[in-house]
Amino acid sequence: MNIILIGPPGAGKGTQAATLVSERKMVQLSTGDMLRAARTSGTEMGNMVAGVMDRGELVTDEIVIGLIEEQLTTVKAEGGFIFDGFPRTLAQADALGDLLDRVGEKLDTVIQLEVNDEILVDRIVGRAKEAVAAGKEARADDNEESLKIRLMAYYKDTSPLLGYYYAKDLLQQVDGLGTIDAVGADIAKALDSAG
Ligand code: AP5
C-alpha cells in the first residue's frame, strides 16, 4: 500500500510512520528527515534550506518534489511507501500523482491525523525540553515562534489537500489525541479498510 500521513506539526506523523515501518515493512519517505540530513551533511541544498526551515516556512516545491522523485525511482518498497510530510501543497500533490503513475504505483489512502493546536504546542515544546534534558540539540524549529509559522503554513498551504483527497475518495480521518498505541490501532483499521 502507498499512503500519505497528513497533519499539522506534532500530529504524530513521524511517530506513527515508525510503527508502520517496523510492523508492515513499509518505507517511510519523510521530506523533513531528508532535508535535515542534507543540512547535517552540509550539501549546497542543505545550506540553502536551513534558514527557511528554522523559521518554520516551507521550502520550494521544486526541491521536495526532486527529493521524492529520487526515492521513488530508486527505492523498492515491499510493503509500500509512507509519505510523511509530503505533499504539503497542491502542486506537490499533483506532482506525486504524476510520479506514482510514472513508476506504475497508486495511492491507496490518505490518513489525516487530527490534533488541536493547544496539544500540538505542548508536544513540540515538550520535545524540545526533552532533547535539552537529554543533553541533545533540540530541533531549531521546535520553539513557539517557528511553530506559529509552521501551523500557519499548514492551514494555508497544506489543509487544501484535505478537500483534494476527499474529492478523490481517498481521505480518512483519525483522532490523533489518544495514546500512541491507540492512534496506531486506529490507523491500522483505516489501512485495513482501504486495502
Ligand atoms: P517535518 O519534519 O515534516 O516537520 P512537521 O510536519 O512540522 O512535523 P513534526 O516532525 O514536528 O511532527 P510529526 O507530525 O511528525 O509528529 P511526531 O511524530 O514527530 O518538516 C520540517 C520542515 O521541513 C518544514 O517546516 C519545512 O520547512 C520543511 N519541509 C518538510 N517537508 C516539506 C514539504 N513537503 N514541502 C515544503 N517544506 C517541507 O511527534 C511530535 C512529538 O509528539 C514527539 O515528541 C512525539 O513523541 C509526540 N507524540 C506523537 N504522538 C503522540 C501521542 N499520540 N500522544 C502523545 N505524544 C505524542
Side-chain angles (χ1 to χ4, degrees):
M1 294 189 97
N2 298 310
I3 70 163
I4 293 174
L5 291 181
I6 195 167
K13 304 180 294 292
T15 302
Q16 297 299 334
T19 306
L20 294 170
V21 167
S22 65
E23 290 182 354
R24 297 187 182 228
K25 293 201 171 95
M26 297 180 83
V27 171
Q28 176 189 10
L29 297 182
S30 159
T31 38
D33 287 350
M34 292 176 211
L35 293 166
R36 280 185 288 277
R39 291 180 61 171
T40 306
S41 50
T43 65
E44 194 185 335
M45 184 269 279
N47 294 334
M48 208 165 79
V49 299
V52 174
M53 290 179 75
D54 291 353
R55 285 194 297 278
E57 296 162 5
L58 295 185
V59 311
T60 63
D61 289 335
E62 193 189 357
I63 288 178
V64 289
I65 291 167
L67 290 170
I68 290 291
E69 179 175 16
E70 192 185 335
Q71 296 293 311
L72 276 183
T73 49
T74 55
V75 175
K76 284 276 161 275
E78 201 184 314
F81 290 102
I82 306 160
F83 298 96
D84 162 7
F86 181 94
R88 263 172 147 103
T89 64
L90 287 168
Q92 291 177 27
D94 283 338
L96 178 61
D98 292 346
L99 284 171
L100 287 170
D101 280 349
R102 224 170 83 193
V103 297
E105 294 280 347
K106 69 175 180 55
L107 198 55
D108 294 284
T109 192
V110 177
I111 308 275
Q112 176 195 0
L113 289 175
E114 292 187 293
V115 177
N116 57 51
D117 288 4
E118 294 73 36
I119 299 291
L120 298 173
V121 176
D122 289 350
R123 285 188 188 174
I124 295 292
V125 173
R127 177 165 65 185
K129 282 188 186 147
E130 272 171 34
V132 172
K136 294 184 191 155
E137 209 176 319
R139 261 173 61 169
D141 59 350
D142 272 356
N143 57 71
E144 287 196 51
E145 203 181 320
S146 300
L147 180 59
K148 236 182 248 167
I149 313 244
R150 285 157 71 191
L151 281 169
M152 273 164 50
Y154 177 76
Y155 291 116
K156 176 173 164 282
D157 297 309
T158 308
S159 66
L161 299 188
L162 302 173
Y164 176 96
Y165 287 119
Y166 177 81
K168 292 179 186 290
D169 206 17
L170 286 171
L171 187 72
Q172 299 197 72
Q173 286 158 329
V174 166
D175 180 358
L177 284 175
T179 62
I180 290 172
D181 286 351
V183 176
D186 286 345
I187 291 177
K189 271 188 225 152
L191 296 193
D192 293 341
S193 75

